Amino acid sequence: MQKFALLALFMPLLAWGQTYDVVGLVMDSDRGDPLGSVQVLTKSGRELGRTNSQGRFEVEVNSRQAILVFRRHTYRDLELDLGTLPEIIGVEVLMESEVEQLEDVVARERQVVRRDDFQAQSIEELELFSGMKIDLNDHLRQLAGVSGMGEFSNDISVFGGRTSDATHYLGLSRIASLRHLDIGFPGNQSVLNPRVLRSISVEDNLARGPLNQGNSSALVYDLREGDPYNIHVDLVFGTINRELNMNAYWDGRTYLLSGRYLEPTFLANMGERFFTVPKDARIDRVGRPCDPSEVCRNLSNPIDAESGDLFFSTFKRDSLGGFGRHSLVAVLDSFTIMQDISDSPTETRALKINEGSQRGAMYAYEGFSPRESGDLQYSLSYLRLGRADAYRDTLPPPSHQNFRLPWYYASGSSFENLLGNSHQSRDEAFATLHWYPYEKTRGIQMGYGVELEYQREDRQFMNSSDGRRSLQAEAGLLGATTLLRMRRDLPANSTLEGTVGALSVASGLAGDDEFETLMPGPVASLRLGKGLGKDHNIFSELALRQTAAIEPAPGNRLQAGLTPSAEFKTGVNGSLGSKIQYAGSAYTRFYQDPTLPVPEVYWNYRETQTAEFANVTGGNLVATWLPNHHMGMSVNASSVQGDYYLKDEGTIPWESNRTLDLAANFRFLPRRDSLLSFIVTYGVNNGVPLYEYAMNRDGGNAENSTRTVRRSSDYPSVSRQRTDIRINLNLKSGLRPLDTFRFFFEADNIFAHFDDPFFRELGGDNQRRRGWTRSGSETNDVLKPVVTRGMGLFILFGFEAKLLI
């Protein structure tokens, strides 16, 4: 009895000494953004800890019934009773902004942040399933509607549109789609660094988002606002990149700085593997080692590259929610690519197949001002870009002792394998203005917008009749997009949205004697949305779209043109319980007088065919499954089928066609408190159409030289599959100033060398287009795509150290 009495006496002390770990995430209740530097306190006011820059916290309490208080400036205090929670690991806390209280002064409904469900996804959400990614396009592949992405290239199709139709916006400012080395090999990266982004959205509703969405949709990249309480420094080191990312706060203004450098030695090592595999396939020794008495030799410098980018931004928000942001993006690239054309594994013979350079800078300003009459948004951006590309025959000559082929032109005492070159400089300026008044007209919420654009392009290119001379062309355009937006709430949880506007273009500037004002192209849409309960939404939309672009024209000229299109789309999105989210859509598109595909190496020919119209149909399904803390899965699948219908009868496949485009990620965390995750990614890109071009050169008269685009006779289409494995390790440091440490290891295309049919669909026998070749005589050529076996296995790794100062 004495023992039980002593135990009863000490029970309260034992309970008092027990501790509990509370782990969770704090987010903004409206935007869903993680909130850093949030104080976590006890009810008595004792601080237990703070959230990190990703909004995560881990604190220790003495009671399972404790009440926690979350506090941050400009947000309302939030109390959380742990006793009401079934679990205290993986807690989600939503904090409301105090700024919203100002809306009580003027009853109104803000329109600027409202977006369609399932479109805006934070970088943290995207990394949840794919891990830390250094290339922006790896994240874009997960978004609803995105398909038709070229491997390691800048090609991207949204809802079946051509890759040139997608528009890109950095916040409110229109930006160019830039990529470092747009030549398709591992290590290539987007110029825009995912580390400076908060979220990515696909804006395909004309009644919301950017004004000029063109014939496709707009990809909107929202920047981080910065942390006003801490200075953050990210140091990133990987096999192919070096990064320095900083976030500071001074006098009410936040500053973001990001600098990246693509490491040339590692790029060359990866390129050696990438450009040696085709040689191995050509001499029929894929995956087989050399004879023990021989030494296999590969090129020591297949890639010579210098690449880097710089991003700088300042941001300031006032107490009313208004803000202004200045941003600067700069890029500097140069590259030369060689391939080994030797037929012997013990020898090497280098042949230059591609070279080029890129220099560009963009300044953007964007602002938002809440007024008593309504919300006002405005932006201004300017881009200056210079590029030079030289494309060379990627197939070796018949005799390795003599590089000369019948169509190669002489350059001094040697012969060049040059197919074509292009030097271009481009200026782009955009200004936008949005106004959303608070007053409703007959129950309709109105919105007004205008976007002004100026583009100028100057190009020099190889004369199709004489490769030793160059030709020059220049053109420009002035454009204006005006849009009236309307939204009305209907009974039964339904909404009706519509737009009426026009795209007007004046072309023939930049030194051209001819000046032409094109007829305004109508822009309009009608979209009906309906909620099915609280978890599901459906919509149907009919839209008229327009896009303006500077394109090659007969007679060695450039010209601006409008391409109209009509689109019908229907879709659904929502959630199945708390574990599954989904979004699906089906659409059909109609284009009037679209420009036929133009070869990237010979574009100064007169096309013999004309497309009367094009018709495209497709479907897309995105789903995420997050049953618990341990595992999760995301799938983005789409199919696009279409044709260009020619005026002289016949068809050509639509350039964004895919029988199946699939990106699937599966992640696994071994333990509930695991800092280690395993991610398997499977990608399919089947039925990609390829073109070839029949050339007919008319002596020295380049204007009469013609070309005919057609489906490739050797490879009407190509398919590609990849299976990648990634390991992520996230560690939190207790030693200041080091806050967190992240590491990833990735093995891509792990089944590259498996010839068994079972592994073929996992990447063992995929194909890719890797360049161009010509065949024919001096005056008649066929420009053909070169298709080889897909890339082999390659390894990436990197780590990110985050300092908190």
Side-chain angles (χ1 to χ4, degrees):
M1 290 296 295
Q2 292 179 347
K3 293 181 179 180
F4 287 106
L6 290 175
L7 183 60
L9 179 64
F10 283 103
M11 277 294 290
L13 296 177
L14 293 175
W16 179 82
Q18 185 176 358
T19 60
Y20 301 85
D21 291 331
V22 185
V23 181
L25 173 67
V26 181
M27 297 177 291
D28 183 288
S29 61
D30 284 339
R31 299 193 303 264
D33 300 331
L35 295 179
S37 300
V38 176
Q39 289 180 286
V40 185
L41 311 120
T42 64
K43 187 72 171 177
S44 62
R46 182 171 62 90
E47 182 174 324
L48 301 176
R50 290 176 179 247
T51 61
N52 62 16
S53 59
Q54 283 81 39
R56 300 193 177 278
F57 68 92
E58 182 176 352
V59 298
E60 186 178 272
V61 296
N62 295 325
S63 171
R64 182 63 173 80
Q65 307 299 319
I67 297 178
L68 299 183
V69 178
F70 296 84
R71 179 174 298 163
R72 177 175 165 169
H73 179 60
T74 73
Y75 283 85
R76 299 171 181 160
D77 287 358
L78 185 143
E79 292 188 2
L80 180 65
D81 187 348
L82 299 182
T84 63
L85 302 180
E87 294 185 6
I88 58 176
I89 300 293
V91 177
E92 289 189 357
V93 179
L94 300 178
M95 298 188 68
E96 296 181 354
S97 173
E98 287 182 336
V99 175
E100 294 178 354
Q101 296 175 354
L102 298 174
E103 294 187 353
D104 297 335
V105 179
V106 180
R108 59 186 183 256
E109 180 184 10
R110 294 191 182 277
Q111 303 293 316
V112 290
V113 298
R114 186 167 54 207
R115 288 193 176 129
D116 292 337
D117 292 340
F118 210 76
Q119 285 191 329
Q121 295 194 48
S122 68
I123 294 297
E124 286 76 12
E125 289 175 322
L126 296 171
E127 287 190 347
L128 178 68
F129 294 101
S130 63
M132 185 179 76
K133 293 290 188 179
I134 58 178
D135 182 20
L136 183 62
N137 279 19
D138 289 332
H139 291 314
L140 296 180
R141 288 214 64 186
Q142 302 182 64
L143 300 179
V146 172
S147 65
M149 294 189 65
E151 192 171 57
F152 311 113
S153 76
N154 210 28
D155 297 338
I156 182 172
S157 173
V158 184
F159 289 111
R162 295 177 298 184
T163 58
S164 59
D165 287 342
T167 54
H168 300 257
Y169 282 82
L170 183 63
L172 305 177
S173 303
R174 179 92 169 267
I175 63 172
S177 175
L178 295 178
R179 195 169 186 85
H180 279 291
L181 311 174
D182 197 9
I183 49 180
F185 75 98
N188 192 12
Q189 296 181 36
S190 302
V191 170
L192 203 56
N193 189 349
R195 295 290 169 266
V196 304
L197 300 181
R198 179 178 62 183
S199 65
I200 307 173
S201 306
V202 177
E203 296 283 3
D204 70 300
N205 183 354
L206 285 174
R208 307 181 191 179
L211 296 175
N212 189 349
Q213 297 180 15
N215 282 332
S216 180
S217 299
L219 293 169
V220 181
Y221 312 104
D222 288 330
L223 290 168
R224 296 186 182 277
E225 295 187 5
D227 188 345
Y229 298 95
N230 293 289
I231 297 177
H232 298 277
V233 181
D234 296 345
L235 300 175
V236 183
F237 179 93
T239 51
I240 56 178
N241 72 321
R242 310 289 185 267
E243 292 184 27
L244 173 63
N245 306 308
M246 301 182 65
N247 164 27
Y249 183 82
W250 182 262
D251 193 26
R253 181 177 294 274
T254 57
Y255 298 85
L256 298 177
L257 174 66
S258 173
R260 294 192 300 176
Y261 175 66
L262 275 64
E263 213 288 325
T265 302
F266 282 100
L267 282 176
N269 292 338
M270 298 178 69
E272 177 180 349
R273 183 62 176 162
F274 195 58
F275 289 98
T276 300
V277 169
K279 168 191 172 182
D280 293 341
R282 177 166 46 80
I283 63 177
D284 193 27
R285 57 173 304 276
V286 177
R288 293 187 293 109
C290 288
D291 186 276
S293 62
E294 298 175 336
V295 177
C296 287
R297 299 185 183 277
N298 298 320
L299 293 180
S300 59
N301 58 339
I303 296 179
D304 184 10
E306 295 286 342
S307 297
D309 58 67
L310 176 68
F311 174 86
F312 177 74
S313 177
T314 69
F315 178 87
K316 186 173 183 178
R317 184 185 293 275
D318 60 31
S319 60
L320 296 178
F323 66 81
R325 189 200 311 270
H326 300 266
S327 300
L328 177 66
V329 182
V331 59
L332 177 62
D333 299 324
S334 65
F335 61 91
T336 301
I337 298 179
M338 313 289 288
Q339 76 164 338
D340 188 354
I341 62 173
S342 172
D343 281 338
S344 170
T346 60
E347 299 177 349
T348 61
R349 188 179 297 273
L351 179 69
K352 185 185 297 184
I353 62 172
N354 205 336
E355 58 187 334
S357 62
Q358 176 177 251
R359 292 172 175 82
M362 191 201 82
Y363 164 78
Y365 172 76
E366 56 183 306
F368 170 66
S369 176
R371 300 167 177 259
E372 291 187 3
S373 59
D375 288 337
L376 186 66
Q377 293 177 315
Y378 42 91
S379 68
L380 175 69
S381 64
Y382 174 75
L383 168 73
R384 173 69 175 176
L385 178 67
R387 292 192 61 175
D389 294 285
Y391 297 88
R392 299 173 182 272
D393 199 317
T394 61
L395 292 185
S399 172
H400 299 316
Q401 303 302 319
N402 186 353
F403 281 1
R404 179 179 180 180
L405 289 175
W407 53 86
Y408 288 6
Y409 71 87
S411 176
S413 59
S414 61
F415 290 89
E416 291 280 355
N417 62 329
L418 190 66
L419 290 178
N421 57 13
S422 175
H423 298 257
Q424 61 174 303
S425 61
R426 191 163 82 243
D427 294 272
E428 296 182 358
F430 296 90
T432 64
L433 184 68
H434 300 246
W435 181 47
Y436 296 91
Y438 298 133
E439 297 292 336
K440 291 185 177 181
T441 304
R442 296 176 182 263
I444 300 176
Q445 183 71 53
M446 308 295 289
Y448 308 89
V450 60
E451 179 174 277
L452 304 177
E453 62 179 293
Y454 166 73
Q455 298 185 43
R456 171 178 174 153
E457 188 168 312
D458 187 335
R459 299 191 71 165
Q460 296 181 8
F461 51 93
M462 192 173 78
N463 191 328
S464 59
S465 301
D466 185 352
R468 286 165 289 186
R469 294 191 299 114
S470 63
L471 302 173
Q472 184 169 351
E474 56 182 340
L477 68 81
L478 286 171
T481 302
T482 56
L483 212 59
L484 169 65
R485 291 167 161 166
M486 299 161 284
R487 173 189 170 94
R488 180 170 185 138
D489 294 327
L490 302 176
N493 197 18
S494 301
T495 58
L496 183 65
E497 297 173 287
T499 58
V500 177
L503 171 61
S504 304
V505 172
S507 67
L509 305 177
D512 198 329
D513 294 334
E514 300 179 5
F515 184 86
E516 179 184 10
T517 301
L518 304 180
M519 289 293 294
V523 178
S525 70
L526 188 65
R527 184 182 182 109
L528 176 65
K530 180 176 177 56
L532 302 178
K534 65 177 182 178
D535 296 326
H536 309 280
N537 301 279
I538 61 174
F539 74 90
S540 293
E541 181 183 43
L542 182 64
L544 296 177
R545 298 176 180 265
Q546 294 278 343
T547 189
I550 297 177
E551 300 172 337
N556 305 314
R557 297 185 300 111
L558 291 170
Q559 69 179 14
L562 284 174
T563 302
S565 69
E567 174 191 64
F568 174 76
K569 183 186 301 176
T570 183
V572 60
N573 60 68
S575 60
L576 301 175
S578 61
K579 299 177 181 179
I580 297 178
Q581 285 186 303
Y582 69 93
S585 62
Y587 53 86
T588 181
R589 312 173 71 112
F590 177 87
Y591 293 78
Q592 181 181 350
D593 301 325
T595 302
L596 291 174
V598 177
E600 56 194 12
V601 289
Y602 273 128
W603 59 270
N604 57 316
Y605 284 73
R606 178 171 54 87
E607 176 59 64
T608 63
Q609 304 175 119
T610 304
E612 187 172 9
F613 66 93
N615 182 246
V616 184
T617 60
N620 178 261
L621 176 64
V622 172
T624 62
W625 177 56
L626 198 60
N628 52 48
H629 174 77
H630 295 287
M631 63 181 60
M633 184 176 182
S634 68
V635 176
N636 183 4
S638 60
S639 179
V640 179
Q641 293 296 310
D643 291 285
Y644 293 93
Y645 290 83
L646 307 179
K647 289 186 177 181
D648 56 352
E649 297 186 350
T651 61
I652 298 175
W654 184 248
E655 65 181 77
S656 299
N657 279 357
R658 300 293 189 272
T659 56
L660 176 63
D661 192 288
L662 173 68
N665 299 295
F666 176 80
R667 75 175 183 98
F668 173 69
L669 285 76
R671 293 162 48 95
R672 171 163 293 278
D673 58 350
S674 174
L675 302 174
L676 184 67
S677 63
F678 300 88
I679 298 175
V680 178
T681 301
Y682 177 62
V684 173
N685 207 326
N686 289 341
V688 183
L690 293 185
Y691 307 108
E692 67 181 22
Y693 300 86
M695 309 291 187
N696 186 359
R697 290 179 290 170
D698 186 13
N701 191 344
E703 185 171 350
N704 292 332
S705 299
T706 61
R707 70 166 182 262
T708 303
V709 59
R710 61 197 186 195
R711 185 192 292 261
S712 173
S713 56
D714 297 331
Y715 294 93
S717 65
V718 297
S719 298
R720 183 177 65 249
Q721 303 84 28
R722 267 180 57 185
T723 304
D724 308 334
I725 293 181
R726 169 181 284 256
I727 301 174
N728 291 280
L729 177 64
N730 299 339
L731 297 175
K732 186 173 180 59
S733 172
L735 301 176
R736 291 293 181 260
L738 182 62
D739 181 48
T740 57
F741 179 87
R742 305 173 67 189
F743 172 82
F744 79 89
F745 172 86
E746 183 172 313
D748 288 349
N749 204 18
I750 59 176
F751 297 107
H753 303 300
F754 287 74
D755 295 327
D756 190 278
F758 175 78
F759 297 101
R760 185 167 300 167
E761 296 301 320
L762 299 178
D765 190 25
N766 58 63
Q767 298 172 316
R768 63 185 176 94
R769 201 212 79 184
R770 61 182 300 268
W772 295 93
T773 187
R774 286 172 58 188
S775 60
S777 62
E778 291 284 351
T779 59
N780 294 285
D781 306 324
V782 176
L783 186 66
K784 294 186 174 184
V786 175
V787 177
T788 65
R789 183 171 179 171
M791 65 180 186
L793 171 69
F794 66 97
I795 304 298
L796 296 171
F797 67 83
F799 64 82
E800 171 185 293
K802 179 169 292 187
L803 308 180
L804 187 62
I805 301 175

